[in-house]
Every structure is written in structure tokens, then in C-alpha cells.
Amino acid sequence: MSNSTNISPASYSQLAGIPNIDLSENLRAALAAGKRATGIAAEVLALRRGPGRLTPQEYFYYRLWDAPQERANKQCFVGKIAQHPMHVAAGAREWFAASGDKILFQSVMDGAGLRTPKLTAITQAGRYLPTAPTITDPAALADKLRDASVYPLFAKPVAGKYSLSVLSADSFDSDADEVLLLDGTRQNVVDVAASLADRPGFLIQRRLAPAPDLAARFGPRLWSARLLVLVTPSGPVIHRAVAKIATGTNPADNYWRQGNRLGAIDLASGRITRVVHGAGADLVVDAPHPDTGAAIVGTTVPGWRDLTDMVRTASQVFAGIRTQSWDIALTADGPVFLELNYGGDLNLHQLAHGAGVLDETYREHLQRCGYRGKL
């Protein structure tokens, strides 16, 4: 369904798993930079045995051979093998669905009075929300999509991740009976409706407009902020934050989409201090925005103080999830909650900041949560 990517939903396991890095290419880059193979091998082995359990692929993914850090600091990087048990330890399993099921998440957010995108419809059979109709019949859904007032729209699967199978549409052409997609292509409205009415069902929302100061410098694509929050006995702690920067005609800001960027956010000021795209041998740091040429480093996230206050409040609504990753859209109407991830991918923070998340604060958090792995 995604209208600007060649990666299919079948690639979910690849996105969720160990990074797909060409070890030979990355090793050649390291050796060409003057690194010794014996030193690299020793570091790879030490980090594989360390608390983050990094694989060789992740060592090169984070370009740790090139990092001006002591090995103790490199031990702060967390790999996918260690990430899952860390997240599982930090919460009760009965809370999983509160973030994983987007209709349930919407219900909780509505009940708590927390801002989310305006819903147009949901298409999963047997589900109910008071704020939007449930439409499962493809013909009825096609009629809904012929209503110009629902555009621009964004649709995402009820149980989706990584923005796979999302749809972003600008408008409806009544003469051609076609939906005009974000990337300039068109689809017959009947075909779009059939896809959205199919299992497992979708949430259809009004597409959000970006914050004006970001749009003026970087173009019309919506950015969001990803905040890693640790729920502690003394209250929520925002541990890391990154800007997820959409570019080109990408329908979402996920980093795996070609051209998108990540920006490291300074927690005190909301200022972006470092920007990356790519990974491993292809990692590029602090390049300007590809669409406008404007410098991203130095940009302050709009409404940063309001955003962090909102996240601290929302994190307490989902207190049974003690490691939370929030996605908050940076919109023309201020910050708007998009999703809550149970734990979330730590690689976004580690890539953007060029530093691992497993510092003293995070280690203490895991210990309080009863994590039994090596720290």
C-alpha cells in the first residue's frame, strides 16, 4: 500500500532484526582508514560479549571502528539481541496491547484528553470508536474516499509497525474517480478502498500539516520527534530524543526510507546538535537538508517545552510500560501524539547521537525493572 517505497510488508522481519550490513564492504572501509584488522576483531569480540551484545553487523552499522571513544563508552551501545529482553523486563505483558493496537491506543488517548490526529474512519471489523465510524464494506469506503473533505489523508494499519503499508493521499479527482497520492501517482478509488478494507484493518486520519517554521526552511513534509522515556518511581525521565526528518515524497519519516534523516535533540534546549543519514560505511554526518539545502543542525524543535510536558503527562497514563518510545508530530497546531512504542528501537537514538543509550541512568532503570542480563 505504501505509495513511495519498494519495500513490502514482508520486509518487517528485516527491519526488526539485525541490520543488513555488508561486512566485507565495511571492513574494507575501516582498513582503508588505517584501522588494524586485529584491533577491529578484538573490539568486535569484546562488544559481542558485553552488555549490549552487539553483533559484528551492528559494530559496523554504528561505525564504531571510527568512533573516537574508549571501549567502555562503546559498551553503552545496545544491539537488537539485548534490546528485546531489556524491553520485556521493563513492563507487564498485559500492557503490550495498549501501545501495539492502535485502536486501543486511540481509545486510551481520547479518554485521557491527549491530542492525536483527527480520525476519519476505522476499517477493522468488530471495532468501535466514538470519534469515527467503522467502515468495512469496500463500496461504502469508496464513497467515503470520494468526499473531498477527508483530504489530505493518512492511513496506517491497526497493528502496523515501521510505517509499512501506510497510505498518504493529497486529494480526490472526481472526474477520473482516482485518489491522488503524495508521490504524484494515482490509484482508482475502488482499488484503494478494497486495500483499506482488507484485513487487518486501518485507521484513516486527516493528514497533519507541518510546523510553519520547519516547512519554510525544509519543505512540506511532516517531521516528528521520538522521545525515549523511562518511567521511574520518582516520575518519568526523558532519556534521549531525536528528530525524525521526512524528505522527498516519503509518506512517513521512518529512517529506513531512502533520504530521511535523524537529528539528535539536546534535551535542555530542544536544539538539533547532530544529523545523520545512512549507516556504516555510508554514514553521513551533518549534511544539509536534501530538498532545500538548509542546514538542519542548529534548528530548534518547535514547541519543545510544551512537547516534553505533554510526554511526561502521557507517560503516566501508560505507567505499566516502563520503557516508552513516543512519536510526536511537529504540526502547524503544535505537538500531536502519533504513537507509543513498547520500548522502541534504540538504534535511532544511538545513530543520531553517535553514543549508546546504556549509560548509568539506563542501567539503573533496568536494574529496578528486574532485568537479569549483563550490565
Side-chain angles (χ1 to χ4, degrees):
M1 170 74 66
S2 175
N3 60 304
S4 65
T5 178
N6 293 323
I7 299 182
S8 71
S11 297
Y12 169 82
S13 59
Q14 178 180 332
L15 292 171
I18 305 299
N20 184 19
I21 286 288
D22 187 323
L23 291 177
S24 297
E25 176 187 349
N26 279 268
L27 179 58
R28 283 195 296 270
L31 296 177
K35 303 299 179 181
R36 296 174 61 88
T38 53
I40 291 172
E43 276 203 328
V44 167
L45 182 59
L47 295 177
R48 184 68 179 87
R49 293 173 173 172
R53 300 180 66 187
L54 292 187
T55 63
Q57 290 90 340
E58 288 166 327
Y59 174 83
F60 287 105
Y61 175 77
Y62 291 117
R63 203 180 172 97
L64 292 183
W65 57 266
D66 195 31
Q69 305 176 26
E70 298 295 331
R71 187 172 295 175
N73 293 328
K74 296 179 183 181
Q75 294 274 11
C76 293
F77 281 80
V78 176
K80 288 294 185 75
I81 293 173
Q83 173 181 286
H84 178 69
M86 287 178 178
H87 291 344
V88 169
R93 290 183 179 273
E94 57 265 27
W95 282 81
F96 283 19
S99 61
D101 184 298
K102 291 179 175 57
I103 295 177
L104 177 57
F105 172 74
Q106 184 75 37
S107 297
V108 175
M109 296 294 282
D110 288 346
L114 297 168
R115 295 183 65 199
T116 56
K118 181 180 179 181
L119 282 179
T120 299
I122 58 176
T123 71
Q124 189 177 77
R127 303 298 296 274
Y128 168 78
L129 282 173
T131 54
T134 301
I135 305 175
T136 58
D137 175 65
L141 187 55
D143 287 340
K144 182 74 172 179
L145 295 176
R146 292 185 176 103
D147 179 358
S149 69
V150 305
Y151 296 91
L153 67 77
F154 185 80
K156 58 185 179 181
V158 170
K161 289 186 176 182
Y162 302 106
S163 76
L164 290 167
S165 298
V166 301
L167 178 95
S168 186
D170 290 341
S171 60
F172 174 69
D173 183 342
S174 58
D175 292 335
D177 206 29
E178 292 176 334
V179 175
L180 280 64
L181 303 180
L182 176 69
D183 64 358
T185 61
R186 295 166 170 259
Q187 288 186 17
N188 183 274
V189 70
V190 173
D191 294 335
V192 174
S195 296
L196 293 177
D198 197 8
R199 292 184 298 172
F202 286 77
L203 277 76
I204 304 175
Q205 307 167 334
R206 282 300 302 267
R207 194 173 72 202
L208 299 169
D213 47 350
L214 294 180
R217 293 185 62 198
F218 305 112
R221 300 295 164 248
L222 182 70
W223 293 20
S224 69
R226 165 70 63 93
L227 273 65
L228 177 64
V229 180
L230 311 180
V231 178
T232 76
S234 57
V237 174
I238 299 175
H239 188 59
R240 293 285 190 277
V242 299
K244 299 170 65 180
I245 302 166
T247 66
T249 58
N250 285 327
D253 56 20
N254 300 74
Y255 190 57
W256 63 264
R257 293 180 181 275
Q258 187 174 3
N260 285 353
R261 269 58 172 161
L262 282 176
I265 300 175
D266 174 70
L267 294 180
S269 64
R271 181 175 174 271
I272 296 176
T273 59
R274 184 175 187 263
V275 175
V276 299
H277 68 93
D282 299 322
L283 184 71
V284 177
V285 178
D286 293 347
H289 195 282
D291 298 338
T292 67
I296 303 172
V297 171
T299 301
T300 297
V301 173
W304 179 246
R305 180 171 296 180
D306 289 343
L307 187 155
T308 54
D309 287 345
M310 287 169 52
V311 167
R312 290 188 183 95
T313 297
S315 67
Q316 297 173 79
V317 176
F318 297 87
I321 304 174
R322 289 184 283 175
T323 301
Q324 306 176 357
S325 287
W326 286 92
D327 287 334
I328 305 98
L330 308 177
T331 83
D333 297 318
V336 175
F337 289 105
L338 296 177
E339 292 185 357
L340 167 62
N341 295 277
Y342 190 100
D345 275 338
L346 301 176
N347 67 308
L348 300 181
H349 303 282
Q350 296 179 150
L351 277 171
H353 288 270
V357 301
L358 195 57
D359 58 10
E360 183 177 355
T361 298
Y362 197 67
R363 292 171 196 264
E364 291 175 352
H365 169 69
L366 291 172
Q367 289 172 341
R368 283 193 301 268
C369 292
Y371 176 65
R372 297 183 180 182
K374 181 178 180 180
L375 291 173

